Amino acid sequence: MSKNLHKKHLSAKASSRISNTVIYVILIAISLIWLFPLFGLILESFRVETTQQVSYLWPKKLGLDNYKYLFTKTDFLKWFGNTGFMGVATAVLQTIFVLTMSYVLSRLRFKGRKLLMNVMLVLGMFPGFLTLLLIYKVFVDFGLTMNRAPVGLIIVYCASSGMGYYISKGFFDTIPKSLDEAARVDGATRWQVFYKVIMPLSKPIVIYTVLMGFMAPWGDFMTASYLIHENSQGMNVAVGTFEWLSKTMVNSHYTMFCAAGVIVAVPVTAVFLMLQKYYVEGVTGGAVKG
Amino acid sequence: MKKLNDLEYLKLNKLQILWYKLQLFICAIPQWFLGLGKKIVNFFKSIGLGVKDEVVDIGTTFTKGNWAVKLSFLIFGFGNIFYGQIARGILFLLFEAVFIYYMAAPTGGLHWLGKANLLQTGKTVGDIQGEMVYNEIYDVDVWTPGDDSVKVLFYALLTILFIVAFVVTWRIQLKQCRINMNITAQGKKVKSGKQDLRSLLDDQFHKTLLALPVAGIMFFTVLPIIFMILIAFTSYDAAHDGYSNLFTWVGLDNFNALLNFKKGGLGLAFGEILSWTLMWAFFATFTNYFLGMFVAIMINKKGIRVKKLWRTILVMTIAVPQFVSLLYVAKLFDSTGIIGKLLLEWNLIPKSMLDAHQYSLWANPTSSKILLIVINIWVGIPYVMLQATGILMNIPQDLYESSRIDGANTFQQYTKITLPYMMFVMGPYLLTSFVNNLNNFNVIYLLTQNNQLLNLDIGMAGGVSVCETDLLITWLYKMTLNSAETKYNLASVVGIVVFLVVAILSLIVYNVMPSTRNEEDYR
């Protein structure tokens, strides 16, 4: 009897070892698939022998020519600066908009709260970029397109960002209400509750929102291309480099595109991985630790 | 249909249970629509009642109010000033003065409203057409600008919003005036300006915080959306851009264009694109969902080491800006790209495609659609994985323990515990990701823009040639930007229909899913 049990125990252990091995194999395969494009992009950016696309992975000659070309012969540095500027500004402004909106909806009860939430839900169902039909026309009058598009874009990114309150509201919802009530009983005004009680507890969600705001302009192609569609000083990296892969330019600019991609990806990825913990907490509502 | 009680229900075998549940579901549909209809009727009823209450209240305010109250029907803030709220009263008065000045000024509100001919079919938006006029000094024809329809419509819209704000403010100051009268009659003191300011950080704190975000939404979402809806009733396109050619109100013409199912017609294109959009959203959402969950379960399995490393590797793809990674991946699958070349060399591309001179997966409608969904898995799994990891950790472990004691194997545990739990919690997430996929511009546009595959059956719909892989959103984008034949009016119509599709889908899902109902439940 006990021998039998022992055997069963062993076999369970063995089967779990087998299944773990299978999982490791799958995970390694997944990792390779997921890393391959990033790895390929980096290799491509150091390729010197040709500027065209080639069908082998390892460059025959390595060098920094592509990067040199980027910084001396194109407006890339300008685009990079534009995007960085937009990233920082959007991070700050969007955080203010999103956090105030979600804080109010989560902690305060007032007349019209439900109505406000429903209206925002319905507004979110319109294809958002059609709002640009009007915004573009108005911005042309104010001179916020083309060369000065970065300012216009910041306004577009931030102005309606209050509608994206869902995740941070979810976070504020998890902070116990008794904290507010205790502070209120002690005579704190709502402003003091917000500033002295809730904000210090909200570091993760603040960082998450800042991170999201910072990342948005780097990946945005649609809105940016709407406000800047001629060659100009106001482009962001996506719109600027997109042209390089068009049929007429791809043969002379393919490796430059890869180099530009690397330069854009490195700082953004670095910031992101540094703050990864907060991103994960934001997305999962704080369930994942470590 | 007869409802079974618990005992009868338990007697049924599996097939009968399935049949019973199906019957229940079908029987519930009319009920559900009935409920929805009732809700809508109630909604309008409550609006009607609200308006009635307001009117009655205004009436009693007038009859019961003293002369100060009566005067503030005409002079904004008079009641406030009379009862000692000087600052408030002056603000109200200022608002009224600005409003009257704006409306009556030569190029003010009435001027624009008159020019716009709002919704009068057949009339132009703006009334002075710009034209070439002979100029004696330069001895050539010179462009003399007339009205700009876009501007006229925009200012008319602003004016209407201003009027609404005016009426609301009028009502607010009346209410305050009456309250002041009542307070004074009771012998108490009305609130001072200082107290007002202080309450903005306390009782009225929500107003302070909401001012900025709500104003932003008003001006950058609500206003443009109303504008877009109005555009759907005009002839605003490349030929009638409002500046060189005024555009006109055309009534429902643009909506009728949606019923044109001939080649080049909007209806045909819309149908085709919508069906692919829905298909795409469905596959993109569910492949990501199940595979992402699968990956999350593998990473979280007991005994798997370096969990953080696996997660970080996947998360890296979230960090790299999409235009970099997607454009690069698209090139990889080109016939000259590394993967595309390998596929050719290993004869993995079907012979039928080669015969049609389609040397890469991007060259064939079916294969490029499949490829899009596959690449989207690469894009989407990390997001789902993170979500699912969070939820997996929240599933009570004793559920698994007790099921193991009862003899359940891993697969049964997955289908009976993990999946239902995930479904329940991730329901809202599934809905939002479905809607996001309907509007997934980046993936489709960046992957296919350099390998355009024109859909010749549709023809030039909406002034642009439509690609096989175009979603509604990329189609709209091209319609309003990428061609010399911009059709803003048709784009607006399509935008409205997209809104209806999304709204109906969400309504159904919200009504069916249990986990979306009550936000206070989780407290």
Side-chain angles (χ1 to χ4, degrees), chain A residues 79-137:
Chain A
W79 302 336
F80 192 81
N82 284 342
T83 322
F85 165 63
M86 285 192 274
V88 173
T90 311
V92 175
L93 290 175
Q94 195 164 303
T95 307
I96 295 171
F97 277 71
V98 172
L99 287 190
T100 49
M101 177 66 90
S102 48
Y103 175 80
V104 170
L105 291 178
S106 166
R107 311 303 280 185
L108 307 177
R109 291 291 177 271
F110 53 93
K111 217 176 126 193
R113 170 177 168 275
K114 262 264 138 73
L115 180 75
L116 182 64
M117 285 167 75
N118 286 339
V119 167
M120 284 195 284
L121 185 73
V122 170
L123 286 178
M125 292 172 186
F126 280 98
F129 97 98
L130 280 179
T131 58
L132 291 174
L133 287 187
L134 177 62
I135 293 175
Y136 175 70
K137 285 278 175 188

Side-chain angles (χ1 to χ4, degrees), chain A:
Chain A
M1 183 68 191
S2 87
K3 206 176 173 185
N4 235 348
L5 217 93
H6 189 64
K7 224 179 198 170
K8 211 171 179 182
H9 183 66
L10 265 186
S11 79
K13 224 177 180 179
S15 86
S16 114
R17 196 176 300 151
I18 291 170
S19 70
N20 277 3
T21 318
V22 172
I23 288 178
Y24 277 125
V25 170
I26 297 177
L27 283 178
I28 288 170
I30 286 177
S31 304
L32 289 180
I33 294 173
W34 255 257
L35 288 180
F36 172 73
L38 310 182
F39 184 65
L41 186 79
I42 294 172
L43 280 183
E44 209 89 60
S45 73
F46 290 111
R47 186 192 307 282
V48 181
E49 73 263 20
T50 169
T51 56
Q52 293 182 13
Q53 190 187 20
V54 290
S55 42
Y56 49 89
L57 184 62
W58 205 264
K60 288 187 177 136
K61 221 175 129 203
L62 290 165
L64 289 171
D65 290 12
N66 297 321
Y67 293 94
K68 225 181 268 164
Y69 180 89
L70 272 187
F71 289 117
T72 52
K73 299 231 167 75
T74 68
D75 286 335
F76 179 75
L77 208 60
K78 181 82 189 157
W79 302 336
F80 192 81
N82 284 342
T83 322
F85 165 63
M86 285 192 274
V88 173
T90 311
V92 175
L93 290 175
Q94 195 164 303
T95 307
I96 295 171
F97 277 71
V98 172
L99 287 190
T100 49
M101 177 66 90
S102 48
Y103 175 80
V104 170
L105 291 178
S106 166
R107 311 303 280 185
L108 307 177
R109 291 291 177 271
F110 53 93
K111 217 176 126 193
R113 170 177 168 275
K114 262 264 138 73
L115 180 75
L116 182 64
M117 285 167 75
N118 286 339
V119 167
M120 284 195 284
L121 185 73
V122 170
L123 286 178
M125 292 172 186
F126 280 98
F129 97 98
L130 280 179
T131 58
L132 291 174
L133 287 187
L134 177 62
I135 293 175
Y136 175 70
K137 285 278 175 188
V138 175
F139 276 12
V140 169
D141 277 5
F142 282 96
L144 291 177
T145 56
M146 303 306 162
N147 280 343
R148 262 181 289 167
V151 181
L153 278 173
I154 291 169
I155 298 175
V156 174
Y157 293 141
C158 298
S160 303
S161 58
M163 281 163 63
Y165 65 85
Y166 297 93
I167 286 179
S168 34
K169 176 177 176 288
F171 180 89
F172 287 130
D173 282 346
T174 60
I175 300 177
K177 270 220 134 171
S178 49
L179 278 181
D180 299 38
E181 277 149 20
R184 295 280 291 164
V185 169
D186 288 348
T189 64
R190 292 225 159 80
W191 162 248
Q192 285 166 330
V193 172
F194 174 65
Y195 185 64
K196 293 197 173 142
V197 180
I198 305 297
M199 274 301 126
L201 289 173
S202 310
K203 191 177 148 210
I205 202 66
V206 173
I207 294 178
Y208 169 80
T209 320
V210 169
L211 182 63
M212 288 295 93
F214 178 72
M215 304 254 303
W218 295 97
D220 177 58
F221 176 82
M222 185 168 64
T223 322
S225 67
Y226 219 96
L227 294 198
I228 340 150
H229 42 246
E230 279 155 38
N231 199 358
S232 73
Q233 294 286 305
M235 285 182 172
N236 73 351
V237 279
V239 179
T241 52
F242 182 74
E243 200 52 25
W244 293 352
L245 288 188
S246 66
K247 286 214 167 65
T248 46
M249 290 179 85
V250 65
N251 284 340
S252 55
H253 281 79
Y254 180 70
T255 49
M256 286 84 189
F257 172 82
C258 294
V262 171
I263 294 180
V264 172
V266 165
V268 179
T269 313
V271 171
F272 188 85
L273 289 183
M274 236 158 44
L275 302 175
Q276 185 197 358
K277 193 178 115 206
Y278 298 102
Y279 177 78
V280 175
E281 267 181 45
V283 177
T284 59
V288 183
K289 303 258 157 37

Side-chain angles (χ1 to χ4, degrees), chain B residues 69-83:
Chain B
V69 174
K70 280 182 178 136
L71 204 55
S72 59
F73 267 79
L74 282 181
I75 303 174
F76 275 38
F78 185 79
N80 297 91
I81 297 173
F82 184 79
Y83 288 106

Side-chain angles (χ1 to χ4, degrees), chain B residues 6 17 192 210 262 294 335 339 357 386 434 440 463 486 508:
Chain B
D6 288 351
I17 288 180
S192 68
L210 282 181
K262 285 190 223 102
F294 184 62
S335 54
I339 297 176
H357 301 288
L386 285 179
F434 187 84
N440 198 335
T486 46
I508 292 173

Side-chain angles (χ1 to χ4, degrees), chain B residues 40-221:
Chain B
I40 292 171
V41 170
N42 281 341
F43 176 71
F44 282 109
K45 232 187 222 165
S46 69
I47 287 182
L49 285 178
V51 170
K52 200 186 122 203
D53 285 352
E54 286 288 287
V55 171
V56 170
D57 196 51
I58 291 171
T60 49
T61 307
F62 188 77
T63 48
K64 288 198 179 154
N66 56 15
W67 65 274
V69 174
K70 280 182 178 136
L71 204 55
S72 59
F73 267 79
L74 282 181
I75 303 174
F76 275 38
F78 185 79
N80 297 91
I81 297 173
F82 184 79
Y83 288 106
Q85 295 176 324
I86 310 284
R88 243 194 230 211
I90 288 175
L91 280 181
F92 278 130
L93 201 60
L94 214 62
F95 181 81
E96 189 182 15
V98 168
F99 177 79
I100 291 173
Y101 175 76
Y102 169 77
M103 288 306 281
T107 52
L110 291 174
H111 169 79
W112 294 115
L113 273 184
K115 270 186 185 264
N117 299 323
L118 276 178
L119 293 177
Q120 297 171 39
T121 309
K123 290 202 174 166
T124 51
V125 184
D127 38 27
I128 305 163
Q129 166 72 48
E131 53 190 352
M132 301 297 278
V133 173
Y134 179 71
N135 187 313
E136 284 177 2
I137 302 169
Y138 300 108
D139 192 27
V140 278
D141 286 348
V142 175
W143 175 254
T144 318
D147 286 333
D148 183 347
S149 298
V150 176
K151 230 184 229 169
V152 172
L153 194 55
F154 175 60
Y155 281 122
L157 195 58
L158 274 184
T159 308
I160 291 174
L161 289 185
F162 203 11
I163 293 174
V164 171
F166 179 75
V167 172
V168 171
T169 317
W170 177 74
R171 178 73 191 114
I172 290 173
Q173 59 98 21
L174 261 189
K175 225 179 224 170
Q176 288 186 358
C177 183
R178 192 180 173 196
I179 292 171
N180 283 347
M181 186 184 82
N182 290 344
I183 289 177
T184 321
Q186 287 166 7
K188 291 181 199 155
K189 279 199 89 175
V190 295
K191 269 190 190 172
S192 68
K194 227 181 207 169
Q195 282 170 320
D196 278 346
L197 284 182
R198 208 172 296 145
S199 85
L200 278 180
L201 288 182
D202 200 10
D203 293 334
Q204 306 291 319
F205 191 36
H206 61 271
K207 286 184 186 161
T208 319
L209 285 183
L210 282 181
L212 200 59
V214 169
I217 292 172
M218 270 309 282
F219 284 106
F220 285 87
T221 304

